[in-house]
């Protein structure tokens, strides 16, 4: 079975441009998580969805960031307008979540974003 | 929320050496995972271990949930073991599968 799929793997853009990152979770998983990793701040949880519904977006840095999950097999993280400080590796992860049972989380390969 | 602390923050090993990484957590958990982030940045699942002991090749892990800690053992280390090891925990009060990550242990294995 395919793991979590992210695209693009690398993105270089100029300040002010819109950036869209994409994620396809593992089939059958009903929770999806977006993380950001930088040297300074480590691994941060930005937002997560359960059954396509955003549960907690308190980690989203500011209004320039938005995320959607229109269906169970696709999610996007958008930055508009992008700034150099948004440069980071963005990870998507998914898990099957319930009040009991195995809830192992699996990560995609990440998108390395560079904003010039 | 739950606090997850890892120690040591850094570890330098000679190839062939054994080591133990520790993860302490501040609340009861129903999910405890160990990840390895390799030098290429990929986060690899090592163990899903909310309690008990598991082994996978040269790696093994033990979680003592009642005492709120987990240990990751690396035996006969190899240069490919280099990278950052993360522990992450989910508290039993969380309904959505959210993990709290520790800061990681940076491991360097020298030839």
């Amino acid at each position: 079975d395919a793991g979590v799929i992210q695209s693009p793997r690398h993105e270089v853009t100029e300040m002010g441009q819109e950036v869209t990152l994409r994620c396809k979770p593992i089939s059958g998983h009903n929770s999806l998580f977006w993380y950001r990793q930088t040297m300074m701040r480590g691994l941060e949880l930005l937002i997560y969805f359960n059954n396509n519904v955003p549960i907690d977006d308190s980690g989203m840095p500011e209004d320039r960031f938005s995320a959607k999950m229109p269906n169970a097999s696709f999610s996007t993280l958008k930055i508009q307008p992008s700034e150099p400080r948004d440069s980071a590796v963005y990870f998507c992860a998914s898990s099957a979540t319930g009040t009991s049972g195995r809830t192992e989380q699996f990560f995609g390969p990440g998108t390395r974003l560079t904003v010039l | 929320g739950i606090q997850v602390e890892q120690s040591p923050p850094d570890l330098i090993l000679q190839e062939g050496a054994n080591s133990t990484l520790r993860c302490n957590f501040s609340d009861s958990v129903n999910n405890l995972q160990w990840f390895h982030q390799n030098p290429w940045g990929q986060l690899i699942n090592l163990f899903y271990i909310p309690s008990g002991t598991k082994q996978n090749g040269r790696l093994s892990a033990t979680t003592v949930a009642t005492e709120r800690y987990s240990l990751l053992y690396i035996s006969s280390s190899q240069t490919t073991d280099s990278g950052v090891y993360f522990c992450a925990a989910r508290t039993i009060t969380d309904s959505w599968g959210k993990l709290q990550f520790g800061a990681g242990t940076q491991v360097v294995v020298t030839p």
Side-chain angles (χ1 to χ4, degrees):
Chain A
D1 189 16
V4 177
I5 299 172
Q6 291 187 247
S7 66
R9 295 292 306 276
H10 301 273
E11 177 82 26
V12 180
T13 190
E14 292 189 347
M15 183 173 62
Q17 296 299 305
E18 178 179 296
V19 175
T20 299
L21 311 181
R22 297 172 175 81
C23 176
K24 177 179 170 57
I26 292 172
S27 177
H29 282 186
N30 62 343
S31 285
L32 183 141
F33 306 82
W34 282 101
Y35 294 85
R36 178 173 70 174
Q37 188 177 37
T38 61
M39 289 292 292
M40 292 296 293
R41 300 176 66 90
L43 197 60
E44 305 173 271
L45 178 63
L46 301 178
I47 184 172
Y48 60 100
F49 296 82
N50 183 260
N51 292 329
N52 313 336
V53 176
I55 301 300
D56 185 352
D57 65 355
S58 60
M60 297 284 260
E62 48 195 276
D63 291 346
R64 298 184 297 106
F65 286 68
S66 62
K68 294 182 179 179
M69 192 164 186
N71 57 61
S73 59
F74 184 66
S75 178
T76 59
L77 178 67
K78 186 176 294 187
I79 308 172
Q80 166 62 22
S82 58
E83 297 182 3
R85 60 194 169 121
D86 301 331
S87 297
V89 179
Y90 291 81
F91 288 101
C92 176
S94 72
S95 69
T97 301
T99 54
S100 63
R102 192 180 182 98
T103 59
E104 187 173 3
Q105 199 168 122
F106 295 86
F107 279 74
T111 295
R112 183 172 297 276
L113 174 65
T114 302
V115 183
L116 303 174
Chain B
I2 186 171
Q3 304 298 313
V4 178
E5 296 181 351
Q6 292 187 242
S7 60
D10 300 281
L11 194 57
I12 299 177
L13 299 170
Q14 189 92 29
E15 199 168 24
N18 304 327
S19 66
T20 301
L21 283 58
R22 187 177 180 102
C23 172
N24 293 330
F25 41 92
S26 62
D27 203 350
S28 298
V29 300
N30 58 10
N31 180 357
L32 192 292
Q33 292 186 241
W34 284 97
F35 297 88
H36 174 218
Q37 187 165 36
N38 63 24
W40 294 269
Q42 291 185 313
L43 279 159
I44 308 299
N45 289 41
L46 295 178
F47 294 100
Y48 173 85
I49 187 166
S51 63
T53 297
K54 291 186 178 180
Q55 181 155 7
N56 184 2
R58 296 180 295 101
L59 301 181
S60 63
T62 295
T63 297
V64 184
T66 52
E67 297 188 19
R68 300 184 181 174
Y69 73 88
S70 184
L71 303 174
L72 178 69
Y73 305 96
I74 305 175
S75 65
S76 303
S77 58
Q78 299 178 358
T79 56
T80 52
D81 295 330
S82 295
V84 182
Y85 290 80
F86 290 102
C87 165
R90 173 194 174 189
T91 179
I92 59 173
T93 57
D94 177 76
S95 301
W96 313 112
K98 177 183 173 181
L99 289 176
Q100 179 65 47
F101 278 77
T105 293
Q106 173 87 53
V107 173
V108 174
V109 181
T110 61

